[in-house]
Structure formats: C-alpha cells, structure tokens
Amino acid sequence: RPSILGIEFNDDDADEVYIFIHGRGGIKIGETLQLCEKGDVFTIPRGKFHQVINNSKGELKFWSIFEKYGERK
C-alpha cells in the first residue's frame, strides 16, 4: 500500500532475496537505505536487519524468497 513502512526484522536462519516487480520505494538493509523499483534485486544476508519502505503514492510489490527447511543449524 502507498506510504507504508514495512516491519523491520531479520532472519537468523536464512539468507533472503527481494525481487521488486512493481512500483518504486526503498529498502533499508542495516543502516543503509537504497531506492528500489521494478526489476531491482537485493540479497539480504542471514541475520541482517532489513525493511521495505513504500514512500510513493502507488503500490510497491515484491517477492521475498528464502530457504528454510525444518531444523537448520
């Protein structure tokens, strides 16, 4: 939704990939805010705090992909 801050979180068990498929906004990885738009891809190392930010007036859509099978160690 427009003008929405996502929840800031981290996943200690898996790396993640964010693929932006529509709109424009930002992604905060650690303390660094980067602008993003359709076609951008970001990798998030496991344990790194991150947050998706839709600071536009339109929708921002993305896929978040991560691997997590049962008991990871």
Side-chain angles (χ1 to χ4, degrees):
R1 295 182 306 214
S3 302
I4 294 293
L5 296 177
I7 297 170
E8 186 173 0
F9 67 99
N10 70 320
D11 189 339
D12 290 330
D13 296 328
D15 298 326
E16 292 185 64
V17 177
Y18 278 73
I19 302 169
F20 289 85
I21 59 172
H22 179 83
R24 294 179 182 208
I27 185 166
K28 184 177 176 185
I29 303 171
E31 295 299 318
T32 303
L33 177 62
Q34 299 181 61
L35 298 179
C36 60
E37 62 185 3
K38 179 182 176 181
D40 288 344
V41 177
F42 294 88
T43 56
I44 315 295
R46 73 183 63 192
K48 191 77 166 180
F49 280 96
H50 53 287
Q51 178 182 35
V52 174
I53 300 166
N54 183 356
N55 52 4
S56 72
K57 293 181 180 178
E59 288 189 333
L60 176 62
K61 297 180 182 179
F62 60 91
W63 294 327
S64 172
I65 303 167
F66 60 95
E67 174 189 6
K68 192 170 184 178
Y69 296 127
E71 298 282 330
R72 282 187 98 167
K73 300 196 183 216

